[in-house]
Amino acid sequence: MTDKFVPEIMTELRNDIVRVPKVIKKCSGILIFGKKIRSIIFTTDIAIIRNTDADAVIAVYPFTPHPAITKSIIEAADIPVFSGVAGGLTHGKRSAYMGMFAEAQGSLGVVVNGPTPVETIKAIDDVVDIPVIATVTSFYSKIDEKLAAGVDIINISAGKDTVEVVKQFRQNYPDLPIIATGGPDDETIEATIDAGANAITYTPPSNGVLFSKKMEKYRKMEYDEEHHE
């Protein structure tokens, strides 16, 4: 059975959007409030968020979560946002409040990092009506208590071990929605999907790398113009 033709609307100004790898379309996706999410871009860069074909963005960062950051990202995005609200240092009531703010501002889900205490997850789950996503970083992550406390989805980010960790958790939890990092190329993304990931996070090139490519293009244009005279 051949794929159906999909018409695409694009303008010259938007032609340089950050596209996620097409192989991600092979995963099942996760239906959240009727929205199917397969590809999730991992960035807090508003310019990239505004210029991507990903289904959603996961906005987590190595600082204490703050409502101003969440608000800025959600206002700039034209795709659903999963917002970081808790981690190793930020937990308790502050994380519960952050979860409330994130939902009120329009987040599709909230993300808690690996070290987040079970009590904090329970406190967040008590006040939000959007999915709680827990990050899993290794084979040894214990999630039974977190699932009982209110976690709805796990986000596996285990570096080079990600494919094997996905396999382990898929075997142990056949129906659990799993997001996972896809790795550096189509082969690792496909292996992660085959291992049981329902959705894939994609880390885009940095703004600096993207700008470098564009500047190289501009330099070539100037060179060509000069040598055609």
Side-chain angles (χ1 to χ4, degrees), residues 3-8 19-30 36-40 53-55 186 189-190 193-194 197-200 202:
D3 293 336
K4 291 184 178 180
F5 169 70
V6 179
E8 181 178 19
R19 297 182 182 271
V20 299
K22 291 182 178 180
V23 67
I24 294 177
K25 291 182 180 179
K26 291 186 176 183
C27 63
S28 68
I30 301 171
K36 181 174 282 191
I37 307 296
R38 287 190 178 100
S39 57
I40 306 169
D53 67 349
D55 296 328
D186 285 2
I189 292 172
E190 192 158 12
I193 295 169
D194 290 342
N198 303 108
I200 296 292
Y202 170 70

Side-chain angles (χ1 to χ4, degrees), residues 117-119 121-123 125-126 143-151:
V118 170
E119 295 77 15
I121 293 171
K122 182 69 168 63
D125 186 61
D126 283 344
I143 66 166
D144 284 337
E145 290 184 350
K146 293 182 179 181
L147 291 173
V151 165

Side-chain angles (χ1 to χ4, degrees), residues 39-177:
S39 57
I40 306 169
I41 199 163
F42 172 45
T43 182
T44 54
D45 189 310
I46 289 175
I48 291 176
I49 291 169
R50 189 67 191 179
N51 293 277
T52 181
D53 67 349
D55 296 328
V57 55
I58 186 166
V60 296
Y61 42 90
F63 309 104
T64 296
H66 195 283
I69 298 174
T70 303
K71 181 173 182 288
S72 298
I73 291 171
I74 292 172
E75 285 185 348
D78 56 2
I79 54 177
V81 177
F82 301 122
S83 302
V85 298
L89 296 176
T90 307
H91 46 76
K93 288 184 179 179
R94 180 180 178 89
S95 291
Y97 292 147
M98 279 298 306
M100 291 176 64
F101 292 145
E103 180 179 6
Q105 291 165 344
S107 291
L108 188 66
V110 291
V111 185
V112 299
N113 214 335
T116 305
V118 170
E119 295 77 15
T120 295
I121 293 171
K122 182 69 168 63
I124 295 169
D125 186 61
D126 283 344
V127 297
V128 302
D129 190 41
I130 52 178
V132 178
I133 303 165
T135 299
V136 168
T137 57
S138 75
F139 292 105
Y140 310 108
S141 296
K142 297 178 180 178
I143 66 166
D144 284 337
E145 290 184 350
K146 293 182 179 181
L147 291 173
V151 165
D152 302 289
I153 302 169
I154 62 170
N155 171 40
I156 298 178
S157 181
K160 62 180 177 59
D161 296 325
T162 294
V163 171
E164 294 305 316
V165 173
V166 170
K167 284 181 182 177
Q168 172 181 294
F169 280 90
R170 175 53 71 216
Q171 182 177 355
N172 295 338
Y173 307 91
D175 300 320
L176 180 64

